[in-house]
Amino acid sequence: MEQNKNFDETQIINLNSCANETLDVKEILAQVYSILKEKGHNPVNQITEYILSGDPIYITSYKNARTLISKVERDEILEELVSSYLKDKFE
């Protein structure tokens, strides 16, 4: 497979193209956020560190939060967060 070597062009990524997307990223984030808060953690810090590092140790195993968040890819989580933020700010 030949990679595009033209660095002047923007690579278009469509993460919504998965036809069989069964997991709701918003719902998973809401559940994990709630669980982290219940455990006394700072959910924003913990989820941020998980996204940046990929290390699931930042998400508690309490109430299966770690298993739950691992059902979606980190890039899907990031896309959801950025999309939600930008919609709130600019629409």
Side-chain angles (χ1 to χ4, degrees):
M1 176 186 275
E2 186 176 321
Q3 293 184 1
N4 183 359
K5 296 189 183 200
N6 186 346
F7 295 111
D8 294 329
E9 294 181 18
T10 301
Q11 176 70 30
I12 305 298
I13 300 171
N14 185 359
L15 296 176
N16 293 327
S17 64
C18 299
N20 296 328
E21 186 174 336
T22 58
L23 300 172
D24 184 69
V25 178
K26 285 182 185 181
E27 182 60 32
I28 289 173
L29 280 172
Q31 288 180 27
V32 170
Y33 181 93
S34 177
I35 293 167
L36 287 166
K37 195 164 182 105
E38 182 179 330
K39 278 295 279 184
H41 299 295
N42 180 323
V44 173
N45 287 351
Q46 298 305 113
I47 292 170
T48 299
E49 289 299 326
Y50 169 69
I51 291 169
L52 292 174
S53 71
D55 191 344
I57 196 72
Y58 290 103
I59 306 299
T60 182
S61 59
Y62 178 69
K63 292 189 175 181
N64 292 321
R66 192 175 296 155
T67 301
L68 187 60
I69 203 163
S70 69
K71 291 182 179 185
V72 292
E73 297 294 326
R74 290 179 322 176
D75 60 343
E76 293 174 302
I77 296 169
L78 186 56
E79 180 184 26
E80 180 60 42
L81 294 172
V82 171
S83 175
S84 179
Y85 177 82
L86 292 176
K87 284 178 185 174
D88 287 348
K89 290 290 184 182
F90 300 111
E91 289 184 3

